[in-house]
Amino acid sequence: MGNRGRLRVYLGAAPGVGKTYAMLGEGHRRRDRGTDVVVAFVETHGRHFTEQMVEGLEVVPRRTLVHRGAEFTEMDVDAVLSRHPKVALVDELAHTNVPGSRNEKRWQDVEELLAAGVDVITTVNIQHLESVNDVVEKITGVPQQETVPDAVVRAADQIELEDMSAEALRRRLAHGNVYAPEKIDAALSNYFRPGNLNALRELALLWTADRVDDALQHYREQHEITGTWEARERVVVALTGGPEGETLIRRAARIAARSSRGDLLAVHVARSDGIAGASAGALAEQRLLVESLGGSYHQVLGEDVAQSLLTFAEAENATQLVLGDSRRPAWKRLFQPGEASEVIRSSGDIDVHVVTHKEVGRGLRLPARGGSLSRRRRIRGFVLGVLLPVLLTVCLIPVRDDLNLVSDMLLFLLATVVVALVGGLAPALIAAVLGSAMINYFFTPPLHTLTISDTNNALALFVFILVAMLVSSAVDLAARRTRQAARAAAESRTLATIVGSALADRDALGEVLERLREAFALTSVTLLERTDETWGVRATAGPACTAPGEAENEVPAGPRLLLALRGRILEADDQRLVSASAAQVAGLVEQARLAEEAASATTLAEANKMRTALLAAVGHDLRTPLAAAKASVSSLRSAGIVLSDDDRRELLAAADESLDRLTALIDNLLDMSRLQAGALELDLGPTAVEEVVARSLDDLGVAGRIVSIEHAADLPLVRADAGLLERVVANLLANAVRFSPPGAPPVVTTSRLGDEVQVRVVDRGAGIPPEEWASVFLPFQRMGDTDNTTGIGLGLALARGLTEAMGGRLEPEETPGGGMTMVVTLMAADLGSGTGATAPGHRERAEAARGSHDDEEVEA
């Protein structure tokens, strides 16, 4: 098939902003450049300017489908693939195809075209993206049934935002350029309110900005760009766990708030060079504060705090870095200025804010620096190991006659211990050897020679060298132990951060991988899982590795799991920490598997519970109609009983009624069983509510003739399974008829509310207390005022299950004046010609059904 096609998406905040117009305009531009362009599917919605833009472009004929007696048109995927243009224009990416189409969703049609090498230009509104569906419902009050996965749109090679102010869009709507004149007032007062449009516009802008940010990060990683690009403010605040942390966090949050959508990132460097770590409790409190302010908390492991901070800031493309002023006393700053000074010197394009606070100059209040074996300290140790014995010799020569050999040796021993404290064993050995040579040459008779005349002096010099070596070894060992303890503490804090982030996040696996990537300054961390003989990506943070051998580091996480870490070669200590984290990753994978098994077990347990209740109920309720039917048939067959014609008709009617009850009962049991097992087959499509209500009343027979009907004018079709919806309405009507008192017949009303259609079944009976509403929808439940001989309590449970299976809701309400109202809410059907469009075939049959039922009411 060749290379995969390219996808271009025009994204809009609301209908009418000009997505389709822009798509067609791009089609004309490409056609004028000589590109082979076809219109695979465009819905003009009757808009004059859009229809004009279609002219001059080749249009692939649509496919006609017949569904429940009505004709609909959809994109003919086979025809487009056969034509195989360079570019195909496909409108309304989130559209749900009519049953019987090649795919359920139009975005799946688009995927086929792309896989065949056809470039696709398409349109979608922000409310149809899966990730913002709940947000849009809160803004507009209208749930969106048609959605497209974010991954489909994010995978587009190019996304164009068609932006328009709320005022301009409302003017366009008022001028009749979006909807028909009769729909303008309703649209302006509902969905197209200024507040709704501004909120949707902001949502579209923010989503697009995130997509642009992803593209920017990918470009920087692809081209190995480490410098800061100030495309958006990212403020990093460095935390030590000290008491000044709250001040720094709030100051950084204010800096981030000055820029629209500025990001706040808090980072703590867990040191492994001997500095005792910060208070875990203080860091936990500061983390909560950061997250409450909308920021994120991170922890990295490093010996050089300044360099670790800058590495993290550059990796996150930070624009500003907030540090606290040093808590060291003023006299210490003369010799050791602090980390802030080093950060300022090396920050490059990153702005550094050094914030003063009340803890400045009060001291660190942390354990003092232990014996560290960092490279810098070893260099200092070697310098001191050479210079200190020489300087001490120069100082002692003038007072040589006033001091004895023992005093000289003690002073040189002290110098050796100082060198050991600074640089460890190797520099101390150099100082001991050099010191012994100085003592022998300058202070041991005979002077200025390396020979020793007195045996005691030789013994003293030997003991000096031995003591110097032992002390140096002890100091070096203590330094190593201190370093290891500090490293272990830092690793523990890092592991605690990783585990804590996993517990606090729904996507625990992805969060752990992201924390690993940050902690070790890596480009990406990918979890690979082997199935059969192939490797696949289970989860990733950063650009994914698709197979073993692509990353610098690989750490097994289980029999079939492998962590691939890309960015730099890890040291042995880091490898050990990653291995510990790998065990956590394996545990999360196992936890997910167990959760899936638990969910399956719960489903089985519910099914078993249902089956037990079903068998218990069937024992009585199936016998009743069977016994009645058998008694009637036995009487008819009995040769010893003389029956009149009226008696025979009555027995036949009783048998027929009992068998009808038995059939209805079995149908309900089967449907409830299918619902519980998730095996109920749906045939969703545009359905006329009036037609369904009329058929439901017919199912009730004579009892249905007392029901009053009030249908709203121009009621749109709903998206439902007509047969199941009829069962729902019939069940509700049967209940309403049964509980309505004489002289107060049930009422059925239909109305439209936004993009929803509501069917209300109203009775004037005794009603049910609100605290018992939940129980009436449980299977095998019958309320105390119900005739317990009429069924096993499946009616309302089945009605709600069928309604929810169709994407609707069934909710009870109190009837004003007494009684119960059951409200069925369904989405208006989207037939590709505007929300709530009406199919002529359905409408005529609905009007005929309504007229037929009205005639029956008059005759009654």
Side-chain angles (χ1 to χ4, degrees):
M1 285 294 184
N3 295 329
R4 179 180 171 84
R6 295 175 60 83
L7 177 62
R8 180 171 182 170
V9 177
Y10 283 92
L11 176 67
V17 296
K19 305 179 300 299
T20 304
Y21 192 90
M23 178 185 70
L24 293 170
E26 179 64 19
H28 278 283
R29 283 190 290 273
R30 297 202 182 192
R31 184 207 60 182
D32 294 342
R33 294 198 298 264
T35 305
D36 184 13
V37 180
V38 301
V39 176
F41 187 96
V42 166
E43 186 56 66
T44 64
H45 298 290
R47 297 166 188 166
H48 176 66
F49 295 109
T50 306
E51 291 173 348
Q52 286 183 329
M53 290 296 292
V54 178
E55 297 176 2
L57 294 173
E58 178 185 345
V59 180
V60 177
R62 300 184 184 184
R63 181 187 179 193
T64 301
L65 298 168
V66 178
H67 178 64
R68 305 188 74 86
E71 290 188 353
F72 306 97
T73 60
E74 294 287 1
M75 179 172 67
D76 193 335
V77 180
D78 291 325
V80 178
L81 291 174
S82 177
R83 171 66 174 75
H84 205 280
K86 175 60 179 173
V87 178
L89 309 182
V90 182
D91 207 5
E92 298 181 352
L93 182 64
H95 171 77
T96 300
N97 294 328
V98 172
S101 301
R102 183 188 186 97
N103 295 302
E104 180 185 358
K105 295 284 189 177
R106 184 163 294 159
W107 64 263
Q108 295 170 325
D109 296 338
V110 168
E111 283 294 317
E112 285 198 42
L113 299 181
L114 294 172
V118 178
D119 293 346
V120 175
I121 304 177
T122 187
T123 65
V124 70
N125 277 329
I126 189 66
Q127 67 262 30
H128 295 301
L129 295 181
E130 186 68 43
S131 66
V132 299
N133 186 259
D134 57 336
V135 180
V136 172
E137 182 176 356
K138 291 179 183 177
I139 294 171
T140 64
V142 179
Q144 298 293 328
Q145 299 296 326
E146 294 194 326
T147 59
V148 58
D150 284 49
V152 174
V153 183
R154 285 186 177 275
D157 299 278
Q158 189 172 349
I159 297 178
E160 295 283 343
L161 177 64
E162 285 300 312
D163 186 34
M164 178 176 288
S165 68
E167 293 76 12
L169 181 54
R170 284 172 59 84
R171 284 197 301 270
R172 177 178 288 185
L173 182 65
H175 293 160
N177 295 328
V178 180
Y179 289 146
E182 63 271 13
K183 297 182 179 180
I184 292 176
D185 290 339
L188 287 172
S189 59
N190 290 286
Y191 193 88
F192 286 81
R193 294 194 300 269
N196 285 3
L197 295 179
N198 282 324
L200 291 172
R201 184 187 184 197
E202 182 179 17
L203 200 60
L205 290 168
L206 294 179
W207 193 93
T208 307
D210 282 338
R211 176 66 179 83
V212 173
D213 191 58
D214 291 342
L216 176 61
Q217 286 296 100
H218 179 70
Y219 179 85
R220 284 166 54 85
E221 292 170 357
Q222 192 177 36
H223 292 79
E224 299 181 354
I225 298 173
T226 57
T228 300
W229 287 7
E230 300 181 11
R232 181 170 68 181
E233 290 293 348
R234 282 188 174 85
V235 182
V236 172
V237 54
L239 302 178
T240 65
E244 75 282 359
E246 183 176 339
T247 301
L248 300 182
I249 292 169
R250 296 190 185 280
R251 177 62 61 86
R254 290 195 294 271
I255 295 174
R258 292 172 190 162
S259 171
S260 177
R261 296 195 70 245
D263 292 335
L264 173 64
L265 301 92
V267 59
H268 170 67
V269 179
R271 299 190 60 164
S272 59
D273 63 352
I275 292 293
S279 165
L283 284 175
E285 293 178 0
Q286 291 168 13
R287 175 177 183 169
L288 291 175
L289 177 60
V290 170
E291 293 174 348
S292 70
L293 294 173
S296 58
Y297 177 85
H298 309 263
Q299 183 161 309
V300 297
L301 191 65
E303 296 182 358
D304 190 326
V305 173
Q307 189 57 48
S308 298
L309 282 175
L310 291 173
T311 300
F312 175 83
E314 290 169 357
E316 296 297 330
N317 198 26
T319 57
Q320 303 191 56
L321 184 57
V322 177
L323 305 171
D325 198 2
S326 177
R327 284 179 282 151
R328 291 186 175 90
W331 65 270
K332 281 191 176 182
R333 297 194 200 184
L334 297 175
F335 304 99
Q336 205 168 16
E339 311 295 351
S341 300
E342 181 65 27
V343 169
I344 292 172
R345 283 196 300 270
S346 308
S347 61
D349 295 330
I350 301 176
D351 297 336
V352 180
H353 302 261
V354 179
V355 180
T356 59
H357 48 85
K358 62 183 181 180
E359 303 296 328
V360 171
R362 295 190 178 183
L364 296 179
R365 301 184 193 175
L366 295 173
R369 185 184 293 264
S372 172
L373 300 177
S374 65
R375 182 179 179 185
R376 180 182 299 179
R377 290 190 60 177
R378 285 190 175 279
I379 293 175
R380 290 176 182 174
F382 282 114
V383 173
L384 280 177
V386 173
L387 293 181
L388 200 56
V390 175
L391 292 175
L392 186 58
T393 301
V394 173
C395 294
L396 290 178
I397 287 177
V399 294
R400 180 170 48 194
D401 296 335
D402 300 326
L403 298 174
N404 58 25
L405 184 60
V406 175
S407 299
D408 294 333
M409 287 185 176
L410 288 175
L411 290 174
F412 275 96
L413 180 60
L414 176 62
T416 303
V417 171
V418 170
V419 172
L421 288 172
V422 174
L425 179 60
L429 291 177
I430 292 176
V433 172
L434 187 57
S436 66
M438 294 294 181
I439 293 173
N440 186 7
Y441 191 81
F442 291 102
F443 302 101
T444 304
L447 301 178
H448 305 120
T449 66
L450 293 178
T451 60
I452 303 175
S453 59
D454 191 340
T455 305
N456 289 327
N457 290 339
L459 179 61
L461 190 59
F462 172 76
V463 171
F464 164 77
I465 296 175
L466 182 60
V467 170
M469 292 177 61
L470 292 176
V471 170
S472 300
S473 178
V475 171
D476 182 72
L477 181 62
R480 290 181 182 276
R481 292 290 182 263
T482 303
R483 178 184 176 88
Q484 291 169 359
R487 174 79 188 191
E491 290 178 356
S492 298
R493 290 193 297 274
T494 302
L495 283 173
T497 301
I498 292 173
V499 174
S501 63
L503 294 175
D505 199 273
R506 287 184 299 177
D507 181 17
L509 186 58
E511 186 67 15
V512 167
L513 298 185
E514 179 63 26
R515 295 303 187 194
L516 279 174
R517 186 188 68 81
E518 292 172 351
F520 297 102
L522 299 168
T523 304
S524 68
V525 178
T526 304
L527 177 62
L528 298 174
E529 185 173 21
R530 187 177 63 191
T531 54
D532 297 330
E533 298 300 324
T534 61
W535 288 90
V537 177
R538 176 67 182 261
T540 185
C545 298
T546 57
E550 296 183 4
E552 293 89 338
N553 311 275
E554 294 178 353
V555 178
R560 293 178 173 270
L561 298 174
L562 183 71
L563 276 178
L565 304 99
R566 179 188 292 171
R568 65 183 179 90
I569 298 176
L570 296 178
E571 298 177 357
D573 288 340
D574 292 339
Q575 287 271 11
R576 188 180 67 254
L577 184 56
V578 172
S579 297
S581 301
Q584 173 74 15
V585 169
L588 290 174
V589 173
E590 180 67 13
Q591 180 181 343
R593 184 187 64 80
L594 292 176
E596 293 175 359
E597 292 181 356
S600 301
T602 301
T603 303
L604 290 175
E606 290 295 330
N608 288 334
K609 182 180 178 182
M610 175 66 65
R611 191 176 298 110
T612 301
L614 178 61
L615 292 174
V618 163
H620 171 268
D621 292 283
L622 282 182
R623 281 202 303 268
T624 302
L626 277 175
K630 179 173 176 55
S632 298
V633 173
S634 298
S635 298
L636 290 170
R637 293 185 60 191
S638 177
I641 301 177
V642 178
L643 299 173
S644 64
D645 291 341
D646 290 340
D647 291 336
R648 288 181 178 275
R649 281 193 295 271
E650 184 177 349
L651 289 172
L652 287 171
D656 183 61
E657 181 182 355
S658 297
L659 292 174
D660 285 343
R661 285 174 55 197
L662 183 61
T663 301
L665 177 61
I666 291 175
D667 286 343
N668 283 346
L669 291 173
L670 289 175
D671 283 341
M672 181 57 70
S673 178
R674 294 190 188 103
L675 275 175
Q676 294 292 328
L680 185 67
E681 294 184 1
L682 299 177
D683 186 12
L684 298 179
T687 304
V689 173
E690 301 98 322
E691 183 180 349
V692 170
V693 172
R695 290 203 305 267
S696 300
L697 290 171
D698 291 339
D699 293 341
L700 294 180
V702 177
R705 296 189 177 186
I706 67 171
V707 179
S708 299
I709 303 175
E710 299 174 8
H711 287 305
D714 298 326
L715 197 67
L717 303 180
V718 298
R719 185 172 181 270
D721 184 307
L724 295 183
L725 182 57
E726 181 181 339
R727 296 280 304 282
V728 171
V729 177
N731 264 324
L732 298 178
L733 284 172
N735 272 344
V737 169
R738 184 181 308 129
F739 299 130
S740 294
V747 178
V748 178
T749 67
T750 58
S751 60
R752 178 174 184 174
L753 181 62
D755 285 349
E756 296 180 330
V757 174
Q758 292 186 335
V759 180
R760 295 173 178 268
V761 180
V762 185
D763 71 64
R764 300 285 183 178
I768 301 173
E771 60 270 15
E772 297 181 8
W773 283 357
S775 63
V776 302
F777 292 103
L778 297 176
F780 314 113
Q781 299 293 319
R782 291 171 291 194
M783 304 311 295
D785 60 349
T786 304
D787 177 8
N788 287 339
T789 66
T790 59
I792 60 175
L794 275 178
L796 290 179
L798 181 60
R800 170 170 276 187
L802 295 177
T803 303
E804 292 177 349
M806 293 184 288
R809 305 188 302 276
L810 174 58
E811 299 165 328
E813 292 181 358
E814 288 188 86
T815 302
M820 178 63 66
T821 299
M822 291 293 174
V823 184
V824 178
T825 305
L826 295 166
M827 287 300 300
D830 181 3
L831 304 181
S833 58
T835 302
T838 309
H842 281 276
R843 181 59 60 208
E844 278 86 3
R845 290 199 305 277
E847 294 296 336
R850 188 191 332 198
S852 172
H853 184 71
D854 289 344
D855 291 343
E856 290 177 359
E857 283 191 309
V858 171
E859 293 172 0

PDB file of all heavy atoms in Angstrom, residues 674-686:
ATOM      1  N   ARG A 674     -29.503 -11.586  29.886  1.00  0.00           N
ATOM      2  CA  ARG A 674     -28.569 -11.038  28.884  1.00  0.00           C
ATOM      3  C   ARG A 674     -27.940  -9.742  29.377  1.00  0.00           C
ATOM      4  O   ARG A 674     -26.751  -9.483  29.140  1.00  0.00           O
ATOM      5  CB  ARG A 674     -29.311 -10.786  27.568  1.00  0.00           C
ATOM      6  CG  ARG A 674     -29.801 -12.061  26.886  1.00  0.00           C
ATOM      7  CD  ARG A 674     -30.311 -11.751  25.484  1.00  0.00           C
ATOM      8  NE  ARG A 674     -30.952 -12.914  24.889  1.00  0.00           N
ATOM      9  CZ  ARG A 674     -32.268 -13.082  24.785  1.00  0.00           C
ATOM     10  NH1 ARG A 674     -33.094 -12.133  25.244  1.00  0.00           N
ATOM     11  NH2 ARG A 674     -32.777 -14.162  24.230  1.00  0.00           N
ATOM     12  N   LEU A 675     -28.735  -8.900  30.038  1.00  0.00           N
ATOM     13  CA  LEU A 675     -28.184  -7.656  30.569  1.00  0.00           C
ATOM     14  C   LEU A 675     -27.086  -7.937  31.586  1.00  0.00           C
ATOM     15  O   LEU A 675     -26.020  -7.319  31.565  1.00  0.00           O
ATOM     16  CB  LEU A 675     -29.292  -6.834  31.235  1.00  0.00           C
ATOM     17  CG  LEU A 675     -30.134  -5.936  30.330  1.00  0.00           C
ATOM     18  CD1 LEU A 675     -31.256  -5.299  31.137  1.00  0.00           C
ATOM     19  CD2 LEU A 675     -29.284  -4.861  29.683  1.00  0.00           C
ATOM     20  N   GLN A 676     -27.347  -8.871  32.494  1.00  0.00           N
ATOM     21  CA  GLN A 676     -26.359  -9.191  33.523  1.00  0.00           C
ATOM     22  C   GLN A 676     -25.090  -9.773  32.923  1.00  0.00           C
ATOM     23  O   GLN A 676     -23.993  -9.545  33.423  1.00  0.00           O
ATOM     24  CB  GLN A 676     -26.957 -10.184  34.536  1.00  0.00           C
ATOM     25  CG  GLN A 676     -28.100  -9.603  35.365  1.00  0.00           C
ATOM     26  CD  GLN A 676     -27.611  -8.532  36.324  1.00  0.00           C
ATOM     27  OE1 GLN A 676     -26.495  -8.594  36.801  1.00  0.00           O
ATOM     28  NE2 GLN A 676     -28.455  -7.540  36.586  1.00  0.00           N
ATOM     29  N   ALA A 677     -25.236 -10.526  31.842  1.00  0.00           N
ATOM     30  CA  ALA A 677     -24.070 -11.155  31.209  1.00  0.00           C
ATOM     31  C   ALA A 677     -23.402 -10.244  30.192  1.00  0.00           C
ATOM     32  O   ALA A 677     -22.362 -10.582  29.641  1.00  0.00           O
ATOM     33  CB  ALA A 677     -24.498 -12.459  30.534  1.00  0.00           C
ATOM     34  N   GLY A 678     -24.005  -9.061  29.921  1.00  0.00           N
ATOM     35  CA  GLY A 678     -23.454  -8.149  28.923  1.00  0.00           C
ATOM     36  C   GLY A 678     -23.567  -8.678  27.520  1.00  0.00           C
ATOM     37  O   GLY A 678     -22.778  -8.319  26.647  1.00  0.00           O
ATOM     38  N   ALA A 679     -24.566  -9.526  27.262  1.00  0.00           N
ATOM     39  CA  ALA A 679     -24.693 -10.158  25.952  1.00  0.00           C
ATOM     40  C   ALA A 679     -25.930  -9.675  25.203  1.00  0.00           C
ATOM     41  O   ALA A 679     -26.337 -10.291  24.219  1.00  0.00           O
ATOM     42  CB  ALA A 679     -24.759 -11.680  26.122  1.00  0.00           C
ATOM     43  N   LEU A 680     -26.537  -8.567  25.662  1.00  0.00           N
ATOM     44  CA  LEU A 680     -27.740  -8.065  24.995  1.00  0.00           C
ATOM     45  C   LEU A 680     -27.351  -7.388  23.699  1.00  0.00           C
ATOM     46  O   LEU A 680     -26.518  -6.484  23.672  1.00  0.00           O
ATOM     47  CB  LEU A 680     -28.468  -7.075  25.909  1.00  0.00           C
ATOM     48  CG  LEU A 680     -29.804  -6.563  25.388  1.00  0.00           C
ATOM     49  CD1 LEU A 680     -30.830  -7.693  25.347  1.00  0.00           C
ATOM     50  CD2 LEU A 680     -30.323  -5.416  26.250  1.00  0.00           C
ATOM     51  N   GLU A 681     -27.926  -7.813  22.599  1.00  0.00           N
ATOM     52  CA  GLU A 681     -27.620  -7.244  21.294  1.00  0.00           C
ATOM     53  C   GLU A 681     -28.492  -6.016  21.058  1.00  0.00           C
ATOM     54  O   GLU A 681     -29.713  -6.050  21.242  1.00  0.00           O
ATOM     55  CB  GLU A 681     -27.857  -8.276  20.187  1.00  0.00           C
ATOM     56  CG  GLU A 681     -26.897  -9.460  20.254  1.00  0.00           C
ATOM     57  CD  GLU A 681     -27.087 -10.409  19.080  1.00  0.00           C
ATOM     58  OE1 GLU A 681     -27.951 -10.112  18.235  1.00  0.00           O
ATOM     59  OE2 GLU A 681     -26.388 -11.423  19.035  1.00  0.00           O
ATOM     60  N   LEU A 682     -27.860  -4.918  20.676  1.00  0.00           N
ATOM     61  CA  LEU A 682     -28.572  -3.660  20.436  1.00  0.00           C
ATOM     62  C   LEU A 682     -28.567  -3.334  18.959  1.00  0.00           C
ATOM     63  O   LEU A 682     -27.592  -3.597  18.250  1.00  0.00           O
ATOM     64  CB  LEU A 682     -27.912  -2.520  21.210  1.00  0.00           C
ATOM     65  CG  LEU A 682     -27.877  -2.644  22.737  1.00  0.00           C
ATOM     66  CD1 LEU A 682     -27.125  -1.469  23.324  1.00  0.00           C
ATOM     67  CD2 LEU A 682     -29.274  -2.723  23.298  1.00  0.00           C
ATOM     68  N   ASP A 683     -29.655  -2.736  18.502  1.00  0.00           N
ATOM     69  CA  ASP A 683     -29.757  -2.257  17.123  1.00  0.00           C
ATOM     70  C   ASP A 683     -30.108  -0.776  17.198  1.00  0.00           C
ATOM     71  O   ASP A 683     -31.251  -0.372  16.963  1.00  0.00           O
ATOM     72  CB  ASP A 683     -30.827  -3.047  16.371  1.00  0.00           C
ATOM     73  CG  ASP A 683     -30.853  -2.669  14.878  1.00  0.00           C
ATOM     74  OD1 ASP A 683     -29.911  -1.988  14.437  1.00  0.00           O
ATOM     75  OD2 ASP A 683     -31.817  -3.030  14.189  1.00  0.00           O
ATOM     76  N   LEU A 684     -29.119   0.041  17.587  1.00  0.00           N
ATOM     77  CA  LEU A 684     -29.364   1.464  17.806  1.00  0.00           C
ATOM     78  C   LEU A 684     -29.506   2.193  16.481  1.00  0.00           C
ATOM     79  O   LEU A 684     -28.749   1.964  15.536  1.00  0.00           O
ATOM     80  CB  LEU A 684     -28.220   2.076  18.613  1.00  0.00           C
ATOM     81  CG  LEU A 684     -28.012   1.514  20.026  1.00  0.00           C
ATOM     82  CD1 LEU A 684     -26.824   2.193  20.685  1.00  0.00           C
ATOM     83  CD2 LEU A 684     -29.259   1.691  20.861  1.00  0.00           C
ATOM     84  N   GLY A 685     -30.455   3.096  16.437  1.00  0.00           N
ATOM     85  CA  GLY A 685     -30.669   3.890  15.243  1.00  0.00           C
ATOM     86  C   GLY A 685     -31.709   4.963  15.511  1.00  0.00           C
ATOM     87  O   GLY A 685     -32.314   5.025  16.592  1.00  0.00           O
ATOM     88  N   PRO A 686     -31.941   5.847  14.551  1.00  0.00           N
ATOM     89  CA  PRO A 686     -32.959   6.897  14.721  1.00  0.00           C
ATOM     90  C   PRO A 686     -34.344   6.280  14.918  1.00  0.00           C
ATOM     91  O   PRO A 686     -34.775   5.435  14.137  1.00  0.00           O
ATOM     92  CB  PRO A 686     -32.878   7.679  13.413  1.00  0.00           C
ATOM     93  CG  PRO A 686     -31.539   7.349  12.844  1.00  0.00           C
ATOM     94  CD  PRO A 686     -31.254   5.947  13.257  1.00  0.00           C
TER      95      PRO A 686
END
